Amino acid sequence: RDAAFAHVRLGEGDFSGARLHGASFQHCDLRRCRGEGAALIGTVFRHCRLEGSHWATTEAWRLQAVDCSGDHAPDMAAAATLPAHLS
């Protein structure tokens, strides 16, 4: 919760089921990561590389993906779903 990551290589990481509430990723390499079932509540991705990452079944609210590159970066927030208690 409220973790901050800057200039970190997390490529091929498995964030499945992780609770990344309020986490901030800036200038990070997140290529080929998995995040199925992760909770991204207020999570911010800025200037990150997301090529080949899969976050489509993620629960999110107030998720931001700013100036990120990769297959899913532009629609990352749109692919996420609201947590059950907010829908």
Side-chain angles (χ1 to χ4, degrees):
R1 183 173 201 141
D2 296 323
F5 300 91
H7 304 281
V8 179
R9 292 183 182 171
L10 300 167
E12 298 186 23
D14 187 356
F15 295 93
S16 299
R19 294 179 52 151
L20 298 170
H21 297 198
S24 170
F25 296 87
Q26 297 192 39
H27 300 279
C28 291
D29 182 347
L30 293 156
R31 290 177 287 180
R32 297 177 302 282
C33 286
R34 293 191 320 263
E36 290 83 1
L40 305 176
I41 311 302
T43 305
V44 178
F45 295 89
R46 283 196 178 94
H47 309 288
C48 292
R49 298 191 64 183
L50 300 166
E51 291 91 339
S53 292
H54 298 281
W55 301 84
T57 58
T58 301
E59 283 192 330
W61 187 58
R62 294 191 176 187
L63 170 67
Q64 296 179 42
V66 180
D67 291 328
C68 294
S69 66
D71 322 5
H72 303 289
D75 60 352
M76 187 178 196
T81 59
L82 282 173
H85 69 281
L86 295 175
S87 9

